[in-house]
Amino acid sequence: MRITVIGCGYLGAVHAACMAKLGHEVVGIDVDDQKIRELSSARAPFYEPGLEELLREVQETGRLTFTTDMSAAAGSDVHFICVGTPQKKGENGADMTYVDAAASALLPHISPGDVVVGKSTVPVGTAARLAQLVQDQEPTSHLVWNPEFLREGHAVADTLQPDRFVYGVSDGSEDHPAVAVLDDVYAVPLGAGTPRLVTDHPTAELVKAAANSFLATKISFINAMAEVCEASGADVTRLADAIGMDDRIGRKFLHAGIGFGGGCLPKDIRAFMARAGELGADQALTFLREVDAINMRRRTRVVELTRELCDGTLLGKRITVLGAAFKPESDDVRDSPALSIAAQLQLQGAVVSVTDPKALENAAKRFPELQFEDDMYEAITKADALLLLTEWEQYRNLDPYALLSRVASPRILDGRNVLDPEKWRAAGWTYRGLGRA
Ligand code: UGA
């Protein structure tokens, strides 16, 4: 099939490459000239494991091209909208500018029978609104809402072998003509057994909002338990192990630490609350306000713990922050708790040095006032305290003995609870975890 992918960011670039890998002829379209130039030379404009190899592989087949020219969409059977929906400035709601701009730029180029597929995370009601625009343009064309559930750092595998597909169509029926078209697009993963659900438009939109809200709630739940553990002398990691053994609860997403960040969970729960308010259902989601508050409290808690670790004052203390990305295997620093903590420490008088294997360039753009150091060993030299805030493999595997001679004081705060406290203490370090005595 011939496929258009509009928006070549974390979602669209991966989607375009994966659709070409599935055998389709794909054109990726983005307004950002620089991004298109990089993708056209098979370079990923951001770090995502396996993406660059995949871009090279599929571009050799000639099935994947990139352009800034929307008229290239003409002639495709299926058009995916993969642009961002960031949080509006100063408000909780989602900024729909990019989705609306993408739709209005695309519509003049669609042909009878084409299928427009929304993948961006949007407020419920968007699909019905866009479906009307599609119908007004081409009465035989359809709009499907097909939310994306990929995780950064695993985006290629999550796109090629997702847990499930959700197709939201206007009548919610399996017999809707767009269902067969999307089944052709995803023939390979469907053939391998990936389940798919057909729903109406609002249900498909809500599946995504509900899934991210549930994940955020799970993380904040365990972080709330961490607060109680800290107050009572218990250990949240053992508590999570024990409750996670109950199948109904499960151990995944019960890692207590500095909380969730990134371009999705924080803004998605806020946009969901804002939308529920508009629909008169705000009471249903007031718990998400608490989820958000627990999450943000973790950041303040880490600043306080660091102060304690540094004998009660941050003034002039040299603090090394290990990790700037919002999670490992990503260079994404959007709403990164690690960077937010680094900035707060700096504001309170500490001399902060941040290191990260992939995210320093993005971090420096967002927080130019912080000091960044590529070389981890340089970064920790003469540090009064180390803060492990993004659990990259190389930080998990640090040898406490090897670092001793580098630092001014052997003190470490493990913001992700990934180090072995006994090992670090045995090596002479003062170790603090989160939610652990
Ligand atoms: C999240 C969802 O997991 C995806 O399913 C969804 O498609 C995506 O948002 C999206 O809406 O596009 P992602 O933002 O890549 O994916 O990252 P997650 O793996 O969900 O992690 C989010 C944050 O939670 C990270 O800061 C991570 O460090 C933190 N986290 C995660 C915890 O603090 N504890 C945990 O147990 C798990």
Side-chain angles (χ1 to χ4, degrees):
M1 300 177 89
R2 191 167 186 276
I3 287 177
T4 313
V5 175
I6 302 162
C8 296
Y10 288 97
L11 163 59
V14 175
H15 194 67
C18 289
M19 291 304 102
K21 170 82 179 169
L22 295 182
H24 304 296
E25 194 186 316
V26 182
V27 56
I29 306 179
D30 199 289
V31 293
D32 182 341
D33 198 40
Q34 166 75 13
K35 210 178 263 175
I36 290 300
R37 269 204 304 276
E38 287 186 47
L39 286 164
S40 299
S41 336
R43 282 199 313 274
F46 49 87
Y47 177 68
E48 179 61 45
L51 177 59
E52 211 150 85
E53 292 80 347
L54 181 62
L55 283 168
R56 277 199 296 273
E57 179 193 327
V58 288
Q59 281 189 11
E60 272 168 24
T61 66
R63 288 199 303 268
L64 179 62
T65 53
F66 292 96
T67 178
T68 53
D69 180 2
M70 188 60 88
S71 69
S76 290
D77 315 290
V78 178
H79 312 271
F80 285 97
I81 298 181
C82 296
V83 295
T85 50
Q87 187 173 342
K88 274 190 209 157
K89 285 203 169 54
E91 282 178 56
N92 268 355
D95 179 352
M96 296 299 290
T97 316
Y98 306 106
V99 170
D100 291 338
S104 53
L106 166 69
L107 290 182
H109 302 289
I110 64 171
S111 316
D114 282 6
V115 177
V116 178
V117 187
K119 288 197 88 65
S120 310
T121 301
V122 293
V124 59
T126 305
R129 180 168 64 78
L130 295 183
Q132 190 57 55
L133 297 178
V134 170
Q135 290 267 296
D136 292 347
Q137 181 76 31
E138 256 325 323
T140 58
S141 289
H142 301 283
L143 179 114
V144 183
W145 213 263
N146 172 221
E148 178 55 57
F149 304 104
L150 68 78
R151 298 158 299 166
E152 287 177 32
H154 305 268
V156 173
D158 284 353
T159 306
L160 292 171
Q161 298 112 27
D163 292 337
R164 75 295 205 189
F165 291 109
V166 175
Y167 305 171
V169 292
S170 54
D171 60 2
S173 147
E174 291 266 344
D175 303 325
H176 190 285
V179 170
V181 176
L182 262 199
D183 278 353
D184 281 348
V185 171
Y186 296 131
V188 176
L190 287 171
T194 302
R196 71 124 162 84
L197 282 90
V198 178
T199 70
D200 53 28
H201 281 147
T203 306
E205 292 166 306
L206 283 177
V207 166
K208 173 67 188 213
N212 275 3
S213 298
F214 189 83
L215 294 173
T217 304
K218 210 171 171 192
I219 300 168
S220 275
F221 172 81
I222 201 64
N223 281 330
M225 294 306 110
E227 289 185 18
V228 182
C229 285
E230 274 159 26
S232 58
D235 183 331
V236 74
T237 63
R238 301 302 288 155
L239 179 135
D241 290 342
I243 64 172
M245 282 170 188
D246 182 331
D247 272 355
R248 294 169 303 173
I249 297 173
R251 182 65 173 84
K252 288 180 184 165
F253 269 68
L254 282 186
H255 300 288
I258 63 173
F260 58 81
C264 302
L265 300 192
K267 65 106 175 148
D268 286 352
I269 61 169
R270 291 173 194 155
F272 197 20
M273 282 185 273
R275 185 63 184 137
E278 288 167 5
L279 294 169
D282 41 344
Q283 249 192 333
L285 299 187
T286 45
F287 75 96
L288 287 179
R289 222 182 292 157
E290 201 51 45
V291 166
D292 203 356
I294 293 166
N295 193 49
M296 299 315 282
R297 235 172 19 234
R298 297 317 287 165
R299 302 178 185 190
T300 328
R301 176 76 184 135
V302 172
V303 174
E304 287 319 311
L305 274 179
T306 311
R307 195 193 315 279
E308 274 175 33
L309 202 57
C310 291
D311 309 319
T313 177
L314 288 168
L315 280 179
K317 294 286 164 58
R318 293 177 60 89
I319 311 285
T320 303
V321 168
L322 302 172
F326 85 103
K327 66 190 274 194
E329 296 304 327
S330 171
D331 65 358
D332 193 349
V333 299
R334 288 176 294 170
D335 205 352
S336 163
L339 277 183
S340 144
I341 290 164
Q344 285 183 48
L345 289 168
Q346 169 118 331
L347 274 177
Q348 299 200 24
V351 181
V352 181
S353 175
V354 181
T355 187
D356 188 286
K358 296 285 177 193
L360 288 192
E361 209 182 307
N362 287 341
K365 279 187 214 146
R366 271 193 188 225
F367 288 92
E369 68 277 20
L370 289 172
Q371 189 184 315
F372 298 99
E373 177 55 63
D374 260 326
D375 183 328
M376 189 203 70
Y377 290 98
E378 278 302 316
I380 66 172
T381 302
K382 297 203 170 61
D384 292 305
L386 307 185
L387 268 53
L388 193 168
L389 300 187
T390 310
E391 68 277 32
W392 288 94
E393 200 60 32
Q394 50 265 62
Y395 303 152
R396 289 170 174 262
N397 296 331
L398 283 173
D399 176 356
Y401 291 95
L403 303 186
L404 272 179
S405 61
R406 287 241 165 207
V407 296
S409 311
R411 298 186 272 218
I412 187 155
L413 192 152
D414 179 5
R416 299 289 188 168
N417 290 330
V418 289
L419 302 175
D420 177 353
E422 278 175 31
K423 187 169 145 192
W424 282 75
R425 286 183 183 133
W429 289 73
T430 303
Y431 169 96
R432 281 303 302 256
L434 293 185
R436 313 172 94 173

Coordinates of all heavy atoms in Angstrom, one line a residue, residues 204-287:
A204 N -12.0 4.8 21.3 CA -10.6 4.6 20.9 C -9.8 5.8 21.5 O -8.6 5.5 22.0 CB -10.5 4.6 19.4
E205 N -10.3 7.0 21.5 CA -9.5 8.1 22.0 C -9.3 7.9 23.5 O -8.3 8.2 24.1 CB -10.3 9.4 21.8 CG -10.3 9.8 20.3 CD -11.4 10.9 20.1 OE1 -12.5 10.8 20.4 OE2 -11.0 12.0 19.5
L206 N -10.4 7.5 24.2 CA -10.3 7.3 25.7 C -9.4 6.1 26.1 O -8.9 6.1 27.2 CB -11.7 7.1 26.2 CG -12.6 8.4 26.4 CD1 -14.0 8.0 26.9 CD2 -11.9 9.4 27.3
V207 N -9.3 5.1 25.2 CA -8.4 4.0 25.6 C -7.0 4.5 25.8 O -6.4 4.1 26.8 CB -8.4 2.9 24.4 CG1 -7.2 2.0 24.6 CG2 -9.7 2.2 24.3
K208 N -6.6 5.4 25.0 CA -5.2 5.9 25.2 C -5.1 6.8 26.4 O -4.2 6.6 27.2 CB -4.9 6.8 23.9 CG -3.6 7.5 24.0 CD -2.4 6.6 24.0 CE -1.1 7.4 24.3 NZ 0.0 6.9 23.7
A209 N -6.1 7.7 26.6 CA -6.0 8.5 27.8 C -6.1 7.7 29.1 O -5.4 7.9 30.1 CB -7.2 9.5 27.8
A210 N -6.9 6.6 29.1 CA -7.1 5.8 30.2 C -5.9 5.0 30.5 O -5.4 4.8 31.6 CB -8.3 4.8 30.0
A211 N -5.2 4.4 29.4 CA -4.0 3.6 29.6 C -2.9 4.4 30.2 O -2.3 4.0 31.2 CB -3.6 3.1 28.3
N212 N -2.7 5.6 29.7 CA -1.6 6.5 30.3 C -2.0 6.9 31.7 O -1.1 7.0 32.6 CB -1.3 7.6 29.4 CG -0.3 7.3 28.3 OD1 0.1 6.1 28.2 ND2 0.1 8.2 27.5
S213 N -3.2 7.2 32.0 CA -3.6 7.6 33.3 C -3.4 6.4 34.3 O -3.0 6.6 35.4 CB -5.1 7.9 33.4 OG -5.3 9.1 32.5
F214 N -3.7 5.2 33.8 CA -3.5 4.0 34.7 C -2.0 3.9 35.0 O -1.7 3.6 36.2 CB -4.1 2.8 34.1 CG -4.1 1.6 35.0 CD1 -5.2 1.4 35.9 CD2 -3.1 0.7 35.0 CE1 -5.2 0.4 36.8 CE2 -3.1 -0.4 36.0 CZ -4.1 -0.5 36.8
L215 N -1.2 4.0 34.0 CA 0.2 3.8 34.3 C 0.7 4.9 35.2 O 1.5 4.6 36.1 CB 1.0 3.9 32.9 CG 0.7 2.8 31.9 CD1 1.4 3.0 30.6 CD2 1.2 1.4 32.5
A216 N 0.3 6.1 35.0 CA 0.7 7.2 35.9 C 0.2 7.0 37.3 O 1.0 7.2 38.3 CB 0.2 8.6 35.4
T217 N -1.0 6.5 37.4 CA -1.5 6.2 38.8 C -0.8 5.1 39.5 O -0.5 5.2 40.7 CB -3.0 5.8 38.6 OG1 -3.7 6.8 37.9 CG2 -3.7 5.6 40.0
K218 N -0.4 4.1 38.7 CA 0.4 3.0 39.3 C 1.7 3.5 39.8 O 2.1 3.2 41.0 CB 0.6 1.9 38.2 CG 0.7 0.5 38.8 CD 0.7 -0.6 37.7 CE 1.1 -1.9 38.5 NZ 1.4 -3.0 37.6
I219 N 2.4 4.4 39.1 CA 3.7 4.9 39.5 C 3.5 5.8 40.8 O 4.2 5.7 41.7 CB 4.4 5.7 38.4 CG1 4.7 4.8 37.2 CG2 5.7 6.3 38.9 CD1 5.1 5.6 35.9
S220 N 2.4 6.6 40.7 CA 2.2 7.5 41.9 C 1.8 6.7 43.1 O 2.1 7.1 44.2 CB 1.2 8.6 41.5 OG 1.9 9.7 40.9
F221 N 1.0 5.6 42.8 CA 0.6 4.8 44.0 C 1.9 4.3 44.7 O 2.0 4.4 45.9 CB -0.2 3.6 43.5 CG -0.5 2.6 44.6 CD1 -1.5 2.8 45.5 CD2 0.4 1.5 44.8 CE1 -1.7 2.0 46.6 CE2 0.2 0.6 45.8 CZ -0.9 0.9 46.7
I222 N 2.8 3.7 44.0 CA 4.0 3.2 44.6 C 4.9 4.3 45.2 O 5.5 4.1 46.3 CB 4.8 2.2 43.7 CG1 5.7 1.3 44.5 CG2 5.7 3.0 42.7 CD1 5.0 0.3 45.4
N223 N 4.8 5.5 44.6 CA 5.6 6.6 45.2 C 4.9 7.1 46.5 O 5.6 7.6 47.4 CB 5.8 7.7 44.2 CG 6.9 7.4 43.2 OD1 7.9 6.7 43.6 ND2 6.8 7.8 42.0
A224 N 3.6 7.0 46.5 CA 2.9 7.4 47.8 C 3.3 6.4 48.8 O 3.5 6.7 50.0 CB 1.4 7.4 47.5
M225 N 3.4 5.1 48.5 CA 3.8 4.1 49.4 C 5.2 4.4 49.9 O 5.6 4.1 51.0 CB 3.8 2.7 48.8 CG 2.4 2.2 48.5 SD 1.2 2.2 49.9 CE 0.2 3.5 49.4
A226 N 6.0 4.9 49.0 CA 7.4 5.2 49.3 C 7.4 6.3 50.4 O 8.2 6.3 51.3 CB 8.2 5.7 48.1
E227 N 6.5 7.2 50.3 CA 6.4 8.3 51.3 C 6.1 7.7 52.7 O 6.7 8.0 53.7 CB 5.3 9.3 51.0 CG 5.7 10.2 49.8 CD 4.7 11.3 49.6 OE1 3.9 11.6 50.5 OE2 4.6 11.9 48.5
V228 N 5.2 6.7 52.7 CA 4.8 6.1 53.9 C 6.0 5.2 54.5 O 6.2 5.1 55.7 CB 3.5 5.2 53.8 CG1 3.1 4.6 55.1 CG2 2.4 6.1 53.2
C229 N 6.6 4.6 53.5 CA 7.8 3.7 53.9 C 8.9 4.6 54.6 O 9.5 4.2 55.6 CB 8.4 3.0 52.7 SG 7.4 1.6 52.1
E230 N 9.1 5.8 54.0 CA 10.1 6.7 54.5 C 9.7 7.1 55.9 O 10.6 7.2 56.8 CB 10.3 7.9 53.6 CG 11.2 7.7 52.5 CD 11.1 8.7 51.3 OE1 10.6 9.8 51.5 OE2 11.4 8.3 50.2
A231 N 8.4 7.3 56.1 CA 8.0 7.8 57.4 C 8.0 6.7 58.5 O 8.1 6.9 59.7 CB 6.6 8.4 57.3
S232 N 7.9 5.4 58.0 CA 7.8 4.3 59.0 C 9.0 3.4 59.0 O 9.0 2.4 59.8 CB 6.5 3.5 58.6 OG 6.7 3.0 57.3
G233 N 10.0 3.7 58.2 CA 11.2 2.9 58.2 C 11.1 1.6 57.4 O 11.9 0.7 57.5
A234 N 10.1 1.5 56.5 CA 9.9 0.3 55.7 C 10.7 0.5 54.4 O 11.2 1.5 54.1 CB 8.4 0.1 55.4
D235 N 10.7 -0.6 53.6 CA 11.4 -0.6 52.3 C 10.4 -0.8 51.2 O 9.9 -1.9 51.0 CB 12.5 -1.7 52.3 CG 13.3 -1.7 51.1 OD1 12.9 -1.3 50.0 OD2 14.5 -2.2 51.2
V236 N 10.3 0.3 50.3 CA 9.3 0.2 49.3 C 9.6 -0.8 48.2 O 8.7 -1.3 47.5 CB 9.1 1.6 48.7 CG1 10.2 2.1 47.8 CG2 7.8 1.7 47.9
T237 N 10.9 -1.1 48.0 CA 11.3 -2.0 46.9 C 10.8 -3.4 47.3 O 10.3 -4.2 46.5 CB 12.8 -2.0 46.6 OG1 13.5 -2.5 47.7 CG2 13.3 -0.6 46.2
R238 N 10.9 -3.8 48.6 CA 10.5 -5.1 49.0 C 9.0 -5.2 49.0 O 8.3 -6.2 48.7 CB 11.0 -5.4 50.4 CG 12.5 -5.5 50.5 CD 13.2 -6.4 49.6 NE 13.0 -7.8 50.0 CZ 13.0 -8.9 49.1 NH1 13.2 -8.6 47.8 NH2 12.9 -10.1 49.6
L239 N 8.4 -4.0 49.4 CA 6.9 -3.9 49.4 C 6.4 -4.2 48.0 O 5.4 -4.9 47.8 CB 6.5 -2.6 50.0 CG 5.0 -2.3 50.0 CD1 4.6 -1.7 51.3 CD2 4.5 -1.4 48.9
A240 N 7.0 -3.5 47.0 CA 6.6 -3.7 45.6 C 6.8 -5.1 45.1 O 5.9 -5.6 44.4 CB 7.4 -2.7 44.7
D241 N 7.9 -5.7 45.5 CA 8.1 -7.1 45.2 C 7.0 -8.0 45.7 O 6.5 -8.8 45.0 CB 9.5 -7.7 45.8 CG 10.7 -7.0 45.1 OD1 10.6 -6.5 44.0 OD2 11.8 -7.1 45.8
A242 N 6.6 -7.7 46.9 CA 5.6 -8.6 47.5 C 4.2 -8.4 47.0 O 3.5 -9.3 46.6 CB 5.6 -8.3 49.1
I243 N 3.8 -7.1 46.8 CA 2.5 -6.9 46.2 C 2.4 -7.3 44.8 O 1.4 -7.7 44.2 CB 1.9 -5.5 46.5 CG1 2.7 -4.4 45.8 CG2 1.7 -5.2 48.0 CD1 2.0 -3.0 45.9
G244 N 3.6 -7.1 44.1 CA 3.7 -7.4 42.6 C 3.5 -8.9 42.3 O 3.2 -9.2 41.2
M245 N 3.7 -9.7 43.4 CA 3.6 -11.2 43.1 C 2.1 -11.5 43.0 O 1.8 -12.6 42.5 CB 4.2 -11.9 44.3 CG 5.7 -12.0 44.1 SD 6.5 -12.6 45.6 CE 8.2 -12.3 45.2
D246 N 1.2 -10.7 43.4 CA -0.2 -10.9 43.1 C -0.5 -10.5 41.7 O -0.3 -9.4 41.3 CB -1.0 -10.0 44.1 CG -2.5 -10.1 43.9 OD1 -3.0 -10.5 42.8 OD2 -3.2 -9.9 44.9
D247 N -0.9 -11.5 40.9 CA -1.1 -11.3 39.4 C -2.0 -10.1 39.1 O -1.9 -9.5 38.1 CB -1.9 -12.5 38.9 CG -1.0 -13.6 38.4 OD1 0.2 -13.4 38.4 OD2 -1.5 -14.7 38.0
R248 N -3.0 -9.9 40.1 CA -3.9 -8.8 39.8 C -3.2 -7.5 39.9 O -3.7 -6.5 39.4 CB -5.1 -8.9 40.8 CG -5.9 -10.1 40.7 CD -6.8 -10.3 41.9 NE -6.1 -10.3 43.1 CZ -6.7 -10.3 44.3 NH1 -8.0 -10.1 44.5 NH2 -5.9 -10.3 45.4
I249 N -2.1 -7.4 40.6 CA -1.4 -6.2 40.8 C -0.2 -6.1 39.8 O -0.2 -5.2 39.0 CB -0.9 -6.0 42.2 CG1 -2.1 -5.9 43.2 CG2 0.0 -4.7 42.4 CD1 -1.8 -5.9 44.7
G250 N 0.7 -7.1 39.8 CA 1.8 -7.2 38.9 C 2.9 -6.2 39.3 O 2.7 -5.1 39.8
R251 N 4.2 -6.6 39.0 CA 5.3 -5.8 39.5 C 5.7 -4.7 38.6 O 6.4 -3.7 39.0 CB 6.5 -6.8 39.7 CG 7.8 -6.1 40.2 CD 7.6 -5.7 41.6 NE 8.8 -5.2 42.3 CZ 9.3 -3.9 42.1 NH1 8.7 -3.1 41.3 NH2 10.4 -3.6 42.8
K252 N 5.2 -4.7 37.3 CA 5.6 -3.7 36.3 C 5.0 -2.3 36.7 O 3.9 -2.3 37.2 CB 5.1 -4.1 34.9 CG 5.9 -5.2 34.3 CD 5.3 -5.5 32.9 CE 6.0 -6.7 32.4 NZ 5.3 -7.2 31.2
F253 N 5.8 -1.3 36.5 CA 5.4 0.1 36.8 C 5.2 0.3 38.3 O 4.4 1.2 38.7 CB 4.2 0.5 35.9 CG 4.6 1.2 34.6 CD1 5.2 0.4 33.7 CD2 4.5 2.5 34.4 CE1 5.7 1.0 32.5 CE2 4.9 3.1 33.3 CZ 5.6 2.4 32.3
L254 N 5.9 -0.5 39.1 CA 5.8 -0.3 40.5 C 7.2 0.1 41.0 O 7.6 -0.3 42.1 CB 5.3 -1.5 41.2 CG 3.8 -1.7 41.2 CD1 3.5 -2.9 42.1 CD2 3.0 -0.5 41.7
H255 N 8.0 0.8 40.1 CA 9.3 1.2 40.6 C 9.2 2.6 41.2 O 9.0 3.6 40.5 CB 10.3 1.2 39.4 CG 10.4 -0.1 38.7 ND1 11.1 -1.2 39.4 CD2 9.9 -0.6 37.6 CE1 11.0 -2.3 38.6 NE2 10.3 -1.9 37.5
A256 N 9.4 2.6 42.5 CA 9.3 3.9 43.2 C 10.6 4.7 42.9 O 11.7 4.1 42.7 CB 9.2 3.7 44.7
G257 N 10.5 5.9 42.9 CA 11.7 6.7 42.6 C 11.4 8.2 42.5 O 10.6 8.7 43.3
I258 N 12.0 8.9 41.5 CA 11.8 10.3 41.4 C 10.6 10.6 40.6 O 10.3 11.8 40.3 CB 13.0 11.0 40.8 CG1 13.3 10.5 39.3 CG2 14.3 10.8 41.7 CD1 14.4 11.3 38.6
G259 N 9.8 9.6 40.1 CA 8.5 9.9 39.5 C 8.6 9.9 38.0 O 9.7 9.7 37.4
F260 N 7.4 10.0 37.4 CA 7.4 9.9 35.9 C 7.5 11.3 35.3 O 7.2 12.3 35.9 CB 6.1 9.3 35.5 CG 4.8 10.0 35.9 CD1 4.3 11.1 35.2 CD2 4.1 9.5 37.0 CE1 3.1 11.7 35.6 CE2 2.9 10.1 37.4 CZ 2.4 11.2 36.7
G261 N 8.1 11.3 34.1 CA 8.2 12.5 33.3 C 8.0 12.1 31.8 O 7.4 11.2 31.5
G262 N 8.6 13.0 30.9 CA 8.5 12.7 29.5 C 7.5 13.5 28.8 O 6.7 14.3 29.4
G263 N 7.4 13.2 27.5 CA 6.4 14.0 26.7 C 5.0 13.5 26.7 O 4.2 14.0 26.0
C264 N 4.8 12.4 27.5 CA 3.4 11.8 27.4 C 2.7 11.8 28.8 O 1.7 12.5 28.9 CB 3.6 10.4 26.9 SG 4.4 10.4 25.3
L265 N 3.1 11.0 29.7 CA 2.3 10.8 30.9 C 1.9 12.1 31.6 O 0.7 12.3 31.9 CB 3.0 9.9 31.9 CG 3.3 8.4 31.5 CD1 3.7 7.6 32.7 CD2 2.1 7.8 30.8
P266 N 2.9 13.0 31.9 CA 2.5 14.2 32.6 C 1.4 15.1 31.9 O 0.4 15.5 32.4 CB 3.8 15.0 32.8 CG 4.9 14.0 32.6 CD 4.3 13.0 31.7
K267 N 1.7 15.3 30.6 CA 0.8 16.2 29.9 C -0.5 15.4 29.6 O -1.6 16.1 29.5 CB 1.4 16.8 28.6 CG 1.8 15.8 27.5 CD 0.9 15.9 26.3 CE 1.4 15.0 25.2 NZ 0.4 14.4 24.4
D268 N -0.5 14.1 29.4 CA -1.7 13.4 29.1 C -2.7 13.4 30.2 O -3.9 13.5 30.0 CB -1.4 12.0 28.6 CG -0.8 11.9 27.2 OD1 -0.8 13.0 26.5 OD2 -0.3 10.8 26.8
I269 N -2.2 13.2 31.5 CA -3.1 13.2 32.6 C -3.7 14.6 32.8 O -4.9 14.7 33.1 CB -2.6 12.6 33.9 CG1 -1.4 13.4 34.4 CG2 -2.2 11.1 33.8 CD1 -1.0 13.0 35.9
R270 N -3.0 15.6 32.5 CA -3.5 17.0 32.7 C -4.5 17.3 31.6 O -5.6 17.8 31.9 CB -2.3 18.0 32.6 CG -1.5 17.9 33.8 CD -0.2 18.7 33.8 NE 0.7 18.3 34.8 CZ 2.0 18.4 34.8 NH1 2.6 19.0 33.7 NH2 2.8 18.0 35.8
A271 N -4.2 16.9 30.3 CA -5.2 17.1 29.3 C -6.5 16.3 29.5 O -7.6 16.8 29.2 CB -4.5 16.7 27.9
F272 N -6.3 15.1 30.1 CA -7.5 14.3 30.3 C -8.4 15.0 31.4 O -9.6 15.0 31.2 CB -7.0 12.9 30.8 CG -8.0 11.8 30.8 CD1 -9.1 11.9 29.9 CD2 -7.9 10.7 31.5 CE1 -10.1 10.9 29.9 CE2 -8.8 9.6 31.5 CZ -9.9 9.7 30.7
M273 N -7.8 15.5 32.4 CA -8.5 16.2 33.5 C -9.2 17.4 32.8 O -10.4 17.7 33.1 CB -7.6 16.7 34.6 CG -7.2 15.6 35.5 SD -6.3 16.3 36.9 CE -4.6 16.3 36.3
A274 N -8.5 18.2 32.0 CA -9.1 19.4 31.4 C -10.3 19.0 30.5 O -11.3 19.7 30.5 CB -8.0 20.1 30.6
R275 N -10.1 17.9 29.7 CA -11.2 17.5 28.8 C -12.4 17.0 29.6 O -13.6 17.4 29.3 CB -10.7 16.4 27.9 CG -11.7 16.0 26.8 CD -12.0 17.2 25.9 NE -13.1 16.8 24.9 CZ -14.1 17.6 24.6 NH1 -14.2 18.8 25.1 NH2 -15.0 17.2 23.7
A276 N -12.2 16.3 30.7 CA -13.3 15.8 31.5 C -14.0 17.0 32.1 O -15.3 17.0 32.2 CB -12.7 14.9 32.6
G277 N -13.3 18.0 32.5 CA -13.9 19.2 33.0 C -14.8 19.9 31.9 O -16.0 20.2 32.2
E278 N -14.4 19.9 30.7 CA -15.2 20.5 29.7 C -16.5 19.7 29.4 O -17.5 20.2 29.1 CB -14.4 20.5 28.3 CG -13.3 21.6 28.3 CD -12.4 21.4 27.1 OE1 -12.7 20.5 26.2 OE2 -11.4 22.1 27.0
L279 N -16.3 18.4 29.7 CA -17.5 17.5 29.4 C -18.4 17.4 30.7 O -19.4 16.7 30.7 CB -17.0 16.1 29.1 CG -16.2 15.9 27.8 CD1 -15.5 14.6 27.7 CD2 -17.2 16.1 26.6
G280 N -18.0 18.1 31.7 CA -18.8 18.0 33.0 C -18.6 16.8 33.8 O -19.4 16.4 34.6
A281 N -17.5 16.1 33.5 CA -17.2 14.8 34.2 C -15.9 15.0 35.1 O -15.2 14.1 35.3 CB -17.0 13.7 33.2
D282 N -15.6 16.3 35.5 CA -14.3 16.5 36.2 C -14.2 15.7 37.4 O -13.1 15.3 37.8 CB -14.1 18.0 36.4 CG -15.3 18.8 36.8 OD1 -16.4 18.2 36.7 OD2 -15.2 19.9 37.3
Q283 N -15.3 15.5 38.2 CA -15.2 14.8 39.4 C -14.6 13.4 39.2 O -13.9 12.9 40.1 CB -16.6 14.6 40.0 CG -16.8 15.4 41.2 CD -18.1 15.0 42.0 OE1 -19.0 14.5 41.3 NE2 -18.1 15.2 43.2
A284 N -14.9 12.8 38.1 CA -14.4 11.4 37.8 C -12.9 11.4 37.8 O -12.3 10.3 38.1 CB -14.9 10.9 36.5
L285 N -12.2 12.5 37.5 CA -10.8 12.4 37.4 C -10.0 13.3 38.4 O -8.8 13.5 38.3 CB -10.4 12.9 36.0 CG -10.9 12.0 34.8 CD1 -10.3 12.5 33.5 CD2 -10.6 10.6 35.0
T286 N -10.7 13.7 39.5 CA -10.0 14.5 40.5 C -8.8 13.7 41.1 O -7.8 14.3 41.5 CB -10.9 15.1 41.6 OG1 -11.7 14.0 42.0 CG2 -11.7 16.2 41.2
F287 N -8.9 12.4 41.1 CA -7.8 11.6 41.6 C -6.5 11.8 40.8 O -5.4 11.7 41.4 CB -8.2 10.1 41.7 CG -8.2 9.4 40.4 CD1 -7.0 8.7 40.0 CD2 -9.2 9.5 39.5 CE1 -7.0 8.1 38.7 CE2 -9.2 8.8 38.3 CZ -8.1 8.1 37.9

